[in-house]
Protein backbone atom coordinates (compact mmCIF):
# COMPACT_ATOMS: atom_id res chain seq x y z
CA UNK A 1 0.00 0.00 0.00
CA UNK A 2 2.76 2.48 0.99
CA UNK A 3 6.39 2.32 -0.17
CA UNK A 4 7.93 5.20 1.81
CA UNK A 5 7.07 8.46 3.54
CA UNK A 6 8.98 11.76 3.31
CA UNK A 7 8.61 14.18 6.18
CA UNK A 8 9.92 15.68 9.40
CA UNK A 9 10.56 13.57 12.49
CA UNK A 10 8.12 14.95 15.08
CA UNK A 11 8.82 12.50 17.93
CA UNK A 12 11.25 9.72 18.80
CA UNK A 13 10.23 7.20 21.45
CA UNK A 14 11.24 3.67 22.45
CA UNK A 15 9.99 1.47 19.64
CA UNK A 16 8.66 4.10 17.26
CA UNK A 17 9.11 7.38 15.40
CA UNK A 18 6.35 9.86 14.54
CA UNK A 19 6.89 11.27 11.05
CA UNK A 20 4.98 14.44 10.16
CA UNK A 21 4.04 14.34 6.48
CA UNK A 22 2.29 17.57 5.51
CA UNK A 23 0.51 17.88 8.84
CA UNK A 24 -0.33 14.18 9.31
CA UNK A 25 1.65 12.31 11.99
CA UNK A 26 2.45 8.70 11.08
CA UNK A 27 3.52 6.43 13.93
CA UNK A 28 6.15 4.08 12.50
CA UNK A 29 7.25 1.11 14.60
CA UNK A 30 11.01 0.69 14.19
CA UNK A 31 13.83 -1.53 15.35
CA UNK A 32 16.09 1.47 16.04
CA UNK A 33 14.09 4.69 16.31
CA UNK A 34 17.09 6.50 17.82
CA UNK A 35 18.76 6.58 14.41
CA UNK A 36 16.55 9.67 13.91
CA UNK A 37 16.38 13.00 15.73
CA UNK A 38 13.44 15.33 16.24
CA UNK A 39 13.26 17.94 13.47
CA UNK A 40 15.24 15.82 10.99
CA UNK A 41 13.95 15.52 7.43
CA UNK A 42 13.68 11.81 6.65
CA UNK A 43 12.62 9.36 3.99
CA UNK A 44 11.45 6.21 5.76
CA UNK A 45 10.42 3.06 3.92
CA UNK A 46 7.24 1.56 5.36
CA UNK A 47 5.37 -1.72 5.50
CA UNK A 48 1.67 -1.66 6.40
CA UNK A 49 0.57 -4.81 8.25
CA UNK A 50 -2.97 -5.69 9.25
CA UNK A 51 -3.44 -8.59 11.67
CA UNK A 52 -6.75 -9.51 13.28
CA UNK A 53 -8.18 -6.13 14.35
CA UNK A 54 -4.80 -4.41 14.57
CA UNK A 55 -2.99 -2.25 12.00
CA UNK A 56 0.57 -0.96 12.16
CA UNK A 57 3.09 0.83 9.98
CA UNK A 58 6.65 -0.47 10.30
CA UNK A 59 9.49 1.84 9.30
CA UNK A 60 12.93 1.10 7.81
CA UNK A 61 15.98 3.19 6.99
CA UNK A 62 16.35 1.71 3.51
CA UNK A 63 14.76 -0.61 0.97
CA UNK A 64 17.09 -3.49 1.86
CA UNK A 65 15.96 -3.47 5.52
CA UNK A 66 12.33 -3.52 4.41
CA UNK A 67 13.03 -6.45 2.09
CA UNK A 68 14.81 -8.36 4.87
CA UNK A 69 11.87 -7.66 7.22
CA UNK A 70 9.43 -9.11 4.67
CA UNK A 71 11.67 -12.15 4.14
CA UNK A 72 11.79 -12.74 7.90
CA UNK A 73 7.97 -12.61 8.04
CA UNK A 74 7.81 -15.60 5.68
CA UNK A 75 9.49 -17.76 8.34
CA UNK A 76 7.15 -19.83 10.50
CA UNK A 77 7.24 -18.49 14.06
CA UNK A 78 8.47 -15.00 13.15
CA UNK A 79 6.06 -12.12 13.55
CA UNK A 80 6.60 -8.41 13.02
CA UNK A 81 7.95 -7.83 16.55
CA UNK A 82 10.53 -10.61 16.24
CA UNK A 83 11.54 -9.44 12.77
CA UNK A 84 12.04 -5.88 14.11
CA UNK A 85 14.12 -7.22 17.01
CA UNK A 86 16.38 -8.98 14.52
CA UNK A 87 16.66 -5.86 12.35
CA UNK A 88 17.42 -3.68 15.38
CA UNK A 89 20.90 -5.18 15.20
CA UNK A 90 22.82 -2.91 12.81
CA UNK A 91 24.93 -5.85 11.57
CA UNK A 92 22.87 -7.04 8.58
CA UNK A 93 26.01 -8.59 7.11
CA UNK A 94 26.27 -10.79 10.21
CA UNK A 95 22.64 -11.87 9.78
CA UNK A 96 23.17 -12.84 6.14
CA UNK A 97 26.38 -14.70 7.01
CA UNK A 98 24.72 -16.50 9.94
CA UNK A 99 21.91 -17.70 7.69
CA UNK A 100 24.33 -18.74 4.94
CA UNK A 101 26.62 -20.63 7.33
CA UNK A 102 23.85 -22.10 9.52
CA UNK A 103 25.04 -20.29 12.67
CA UNK A 104 22.20 -21.02 15.14
CA UNK A 105 24.12 -19.39 18.02
CA UNK A 106 24.16 -15.98 16.30
CA UNK A 107 20.40 -16.08 15.70
CA UNK A 108 19.43 -17.22 19.21
CA UNK A 109 20.90 -14.07 20.75
CA UNK A 110 17.91 -12.08 19.45
CA UNK A 111 14.94 -11.70 21.84
CA UNK A 112 12.23 -14.30 21.29
CA UNK A 113 14.37 -16.45 18.97
CA UNK A 114 14.97 -19.93 20.31
CA UNK A 115 16.93 -22.78 18.78
CA UNK A 116 13.99 -24.16 16.77
CA UNK A 117 13.06 -20.75 15.36
CA UNK A 118 16.71 -20.06 14.50
CA UNK A 119 16.88 -23.38 12.63
CA UNK A 120 13.65 -22.48 10.82
CA UNK A 121 15.11 -19.09 9.79
CA UNK A 122 18.16 -20.84 8.35
CA UNK A 123 16.03 -23.45 6.57
CA UNK A 124 13.63 -20.91 5.06
CA UNK A 125 16.06 -18.11 4.16
CA UNK A 126 19.28 -19.91 3.19
CA UNK A 127 20.21 -18.70 -0.29
CA UNK A 128 17.43 -16.07 -0.27
CA UNK A 129 18.86 -13.43 2.06
CA UNK A 130 21.03 -11.16 -0.09
CA UNK A 131 22.60 -7.84 0.70
CA UNK A 132 22.36 -5.17 -1.95
CA UNK A 133 24.91 -2.38 -2.41
CA UNK A 134 22.40 -0.05 -0.71
CA UNK A 135 22.55 -2.13 2.47
CA UNK A 136 26.27 -2.93 2.37
CA UNK A 137 28.24 -0.23 0.59
CA UNK A 138 31.81 -1.41 0.08
CA UNK A 139 34.74 0.90 -0.51
CA UNK A 140 35.20 -0.65 -3.96
CA UNK A 141 31.65 0.34 -4.97
CA UNK A 142 32.27 3.98 -3.99
CA UNK A 143 34.40 4.60 -7.11
CA UNK A 144 32.30 2.54 -9.53
CA UNK A 145 30.50 4.11 -12.48
CA UNK A 146 26.84 4.66 -11.39
CA UNK A 147 25.57 2.72 -14.44
CA UNK A 148 27.80 -0.23 -13.48
CA UNK A 149 26.69 -0.02 -9.84
CA UNK A 150 23.02 -0.06 -10.93
CA UNK A 151 23.64 -3.08 -13.16
CA UNK A 152 25.40 -4.94 -10.35
CA UNK A 153 22.55 -4.13 -7.95
CA UNK A 154 20.09 -5.44 -10.56
CA UNK A 155 22.03 -8.70 -10.85
CA UNK A 156 21.91 -9.15 -7.06
CA UNK A 157 18.17 -8.37 -7.12
CA UNK A 158 17.74 -11.07 -9.77
CA UNK A 159 19.13 -13.57 -7.25
CA UNK A 160 22.76 -13.95 -8.30
CA UNK A 161 25.12 -14.38 -5.32
CA UNK A 162 26.87 -11.22 -4.08
CA UNK A 163 30.32 -12.80 -4.48
CA UNK A 164 29.69 -13.79 -8.10
CA UNK A 165 28.43 -10.30 -8.94
CA UNK A 166 31.38 -8.63 -7.18
CA UNK A 167 33.78 -10.65 -9.36
CA UNK A 168 32.19 -9.09 -12.46
CA UNK A 169 33.29 -5.55 -11.63
CA UNK A 170 36.67 -5.70 -13.42
CA UNK A 171 35.48 -7.58 -16.55
CA UNK A 172 32.47 -5.25 -16.90
CA UNK A 173 34.62 -2.14 -16.45
CA UNK A 174 36.93 -3.41 -19.21
CA UNK A 175 34.01 -4.34 -21.48
CA UNK A 176 33.54 -0.82 -22.81
CA UNK A 177 29.85 -0.67 -21.84
CA UNK A 178 28.50 2.78 -20.99
CA UNK A 179 24.86 2.28 -19.98
CA UNK A 180 23.21 0.23 -17.24
CA UNK A 181 21.45 -1.86 -19.88
CA UNK A 182 24.74 -2.73 -21.63
CA UNK A 183 26.42 -3.61 -18.33
CA UNK A 184 23.44 -5.76 -17.35
CA UNK A 185 23.39 -7.66 -20.65
CA UNK A 186 27.13 -8.33 -20.50
CA UNK A 187 26.88 -9.30 -16.82
CA UNK A 188 24.16 -11.83 -17.61
CA UNK A 189 26.30 -13.27 -20.40
CA UNK A 190 29.26 -13.66 -18.06
CA UNK A 191 27.14 -15.31 -15.37
CA UNK A 192 25.62 -17.87 -17.74
Amino acid sequence: MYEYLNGTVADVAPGYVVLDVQGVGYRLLMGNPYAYTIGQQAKIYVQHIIRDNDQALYGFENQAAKQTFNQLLTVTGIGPKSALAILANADTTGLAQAVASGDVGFLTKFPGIGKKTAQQIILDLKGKLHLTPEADPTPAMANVDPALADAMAALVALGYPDKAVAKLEKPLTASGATTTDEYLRRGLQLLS
Side-chain angles (χ1 to χ4, degrees), residues 30-32 58-61 64-99 103-114 116-122 125 129 131:
M30 301 190 75
N32 182 14
Y58 293 86
F60 311 96
E61 292 183 46
K66 179 180 175 179
Q67 181 182 1
T68 302
F69 176 81
N70 285 321
Q71 287 176 313
L72 286 166
L73 290 180
T74 66
V75 177
T76 303
I78 298 287
K81 288 182 183 178
S82 296
L84 269 188
I86 292 170
L87 287 175
N89 177 9
D91 183 16
T92 54
T93 305
L95 173 63
Q97 289 172 348
V99 170
D103 186 355
V104 172
F106 180 89
L107 297 171
T108 56
K109 70 181 181 180
F110 297 112
I113 307 296
K116 286 184 181 181
T117 305
Q119 291 170 337
Q120 191 67 45
I121 290 170
I122 291 166
L125 297 183
L129 198 58
L131 293 177

Side-chain angles (χ1 to χ4, degrees), residues 5-21:
L5 297 171
N6 267 322
T8 305
V9 176
D11 191 20
V12 177
Y16 68 91
V17 164
V18 176
L19 190 68
D20 182 317
V21 180

